[in-house]
């Protein structure tokens, strides 16, 4: 019995020693495996200050004027402009104000129109009876009953053959009864009862000589002479003789024409490719 008691006592001691050893080992292992400081330290890998710093890319002072969105609003009896946050950026001071187009907007003081930029700076003082939005760098204006075009510097760009108005400090005074917008680099102008064409430099490239002239499309424009319609090219040469009662624009190389009361189609050489058989006809697209 004494021997068994001694054996049991020795076994209990061995068991306690083994338990102590395994507990110590498991604690040490857990500490080593879950310690994040050395292996999983994120500060060097995910530091955003050098890679994702946005200040140089999105600095608002670098934003082009066309990207600054302003809207005209009326407060009391006068118009000004606000930004998208609702903040007034151009104080109400105009009788009327229109949308910005190509960085400039029409404003009205009294009975005259002028233009401002998005900083509220007056680019062209109110002096025009009528004014339209800018398109391709030019805007149509009416001065002293005549139509012309103004560029974005505030200078009127009109045929240099026309007289200057030094008293008004305007480079060239408009002298056309009607002026229309650009199409294919040319605009239509009317002097007296005749129509011609002008380029963007203000030079008359096709003198007013037609009773009607349409915008250019696909390199040709329909014109009217002696009561009939034909077509000219951009040099003013008649490429399809005025033989038709009515015509349309060229689209996809063909144009509708009216001959002997019916509509058909011609190509750019003037050849009839679809006989006039129809009550009406329009362009291909």
């Amino acid at each position: 019995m004494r021997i068994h008691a001694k054996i049991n006592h020795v076994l209990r001691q061995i068991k306690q020693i083994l338990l102590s050893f395994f507990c110590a080992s498991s604690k040490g292992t857990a500490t080593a495996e879950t310690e994040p400081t050395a292996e999983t330290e994120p500060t060097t890998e995910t530091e955003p200050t050098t890679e994702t710093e946005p200040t140089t890319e999105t600095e608002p002072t670098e934003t082009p004027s066309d990207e600054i969105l302003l809207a005209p609003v009326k407060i009391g009896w006068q118009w000004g402009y606000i930004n998208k946050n609702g903040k007034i950026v151009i104080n109400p001071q105009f009788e009327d104000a229109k949308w910005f187009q190509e960085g400039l907007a029409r404003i009205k003081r009294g009975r005259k129109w002028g233009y401002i930029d998005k900083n509220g700076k007056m680019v062209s003082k109110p002096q025009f009876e009528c004014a339209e939005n800018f398109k391709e760098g030019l805007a149509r204006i009416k001065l002293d009953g005549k139509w012309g075009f103004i560029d974005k510097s505030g200078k009127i760009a009109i045929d240099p053959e026309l007289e200057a108005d030094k008293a008004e400090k305007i480079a060239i005074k408009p002298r056309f009864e009607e002026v229309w917008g650009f199409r294919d680099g040319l605009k239509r102008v009317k002097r007296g009862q005749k129509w011609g064409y002008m380029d963007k430099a203000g030079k008359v490239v096709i003198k007013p000589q037609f009773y009607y002239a349409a915008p250019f499309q696909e390199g040709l424009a329909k014109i009217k002479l002696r009561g009939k319609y034909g077509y000219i090219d951009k040099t003013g040469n008649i490429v399809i003789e005025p033989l038709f009662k009515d015509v349309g624009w060229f689209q996809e190389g063909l144009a509708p024409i009216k001959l002997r009361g019916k509509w058909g189609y011609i190509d750019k050489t003037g050849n009839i490719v679809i006989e006039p058989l129809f009550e009406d006809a329009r362009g291909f697209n």
Side-chain angles (χ1 to χ4, degrees):
M1 294 292 294
R2 295 180 61 184
I3 294 173
H4 286 296
K6 288 182 179 180
I7 291 172
N8 288 335
H9 178 71
V10 170
L11 290 173
R12 283 196 297 269
Q13 286 182 331
I14 293 171
K15 183 178 180 180
Q16 288 179 350
I17 292 170
L18 290 172
L19 285 173
S20 298
F21 175 77
F22 282 116
C23 288
S25 299
S26 62
K27 286 182 181 179
T29 304
T31 303
E33 287 182 357
T34 59
E35 179 61 39
T37 54
E39 294 295 327
T40 61
E41 179 61 50
T43 54
T44 56
E45 293 291 330
T46 60
E47 181 62 31
T49 53
T50 57
E51 293 294 326
T52 61
E53 182 61 50
T55 53
T56 56
E57 294 292 332
T58 60
E59 180 64 40
T61 55
E62 298 292 329
T63 304
S65 62
D66 283 348
E67 296 181 9
I68 301 172
L69 303 178
L70 302 182
V73 295
K74 189 177 184 181
I75 300 177
W77 296 98
Q78 293 186 315
W79 288 82
Y81 291 84
I82 61 171
N83 61 19
K84 290 191 74 175
N85 296 321
K87 179 182 178 182
I88 295 173
V89 293
I90 300 176
N91 289 326
Q93 55 190 290
F94 309 112
E95 278 70 28
D96 201 352
K98 302 299 183 181
W99 296 271
F100 279 91
Q101 187 80 14
E102 297 189 12
L104 298 179
R106 296 174 286 155
I107 50 87
K108 188 177 184 182
R109 278 184 174 164
R111 300 175 65 87
K112 303 290 186 179
W113 291 88
Y115 294 86
I116 60 170
D117 63 18
K118 288 190 174 181
N119 295 315
K121 179 182 176 182
M122 196 71 68
V123 175
S124 180
K125 68 179 183 179
Q127 57 187 302
F128 309 115
E129 293 108 57
C130 294
E132 297 181 358
N133 287 332
F134 274 87
K135 185 177 181 181
E136 297 186 24
L138 296 174
R140 196 165 76 119
I141 53 86
K142 189 176 185 181
L143 182 65
D144 296 334
K146 305 292 183 180
W147 287 94
F149 277 78
I150 187 171
D151 64 24
K152 294 176 77 172
S153 71
K155 180 180 178 181
I156 294 180
I158 299 295
D159 183 1
E161 296 175 359
L162 304 177
E163 64 187 74
D165 185 350
K166 295 180 181 179
E168 291 290 334
K169 296 182 180 179
I170 294 172
I172 303 167
K173 189 176 180 180
R175 283 288 181 261
F176 295 108
E177 280 69 24
E178 290 187 52
V179 180
W180 292 86
F182 283 100
R183 187 84 170 264
D184 279 2
L186 296 178
K187 59 189 172 188
R188 297 177 293 152
V189 296
K190 186 179 183 182
R191 184 180 285 161
Q193 298 298 315
K194 302 292 182 69
W195 288 87
Y197 294 85
M198 178 185 293
D199 64 17
K200 288 185 178 181
K203 181 181 179 181
V204 174
V205 293
I206 301 173
K207 70 178 183 178
Q209 57 187 294
F210 309 109
Y211 290 102
Y212 174 79
F216 277 89
Q217 183 154 313
E218 295 191 8
L220 299 179
K222 62 178 183 178
I223 51 87
K224 188 176 184 180
L225 275 178
R226 301 179 297 276
K228 297 292 182 71
Y229 288 90
Y231 293 86
I232 61 170
D233 62 20
K234 287 187 175 182
T235 66
N237 291 325
I238 295 175
V239 293
I240 300 175
E241 289 292 329
L243 301 172
F244 307 104
K245 183 68 176 178
D246 200 358
V247 296
W249 283 277
F250 273 95
Q251 291 178 269
E252 303 298 329
L254 299 179
I257 53 90
K258 189 176 184 180
L259 189 63
R260 298 184 295 275
K262 298 288 185 177
W263 286 85
Y265 292 86
I266 60 171
D267 62 19
K268 289 187 176 182
T269 66
N271 290 324
I272 294 176
V273 294
I274 300 175
E275 290 293 328
L277 300 172
F278 310 103
E279 303 302 323
D280 202 349
R282 295 174 181 170
F284 285 91
N285 58 27

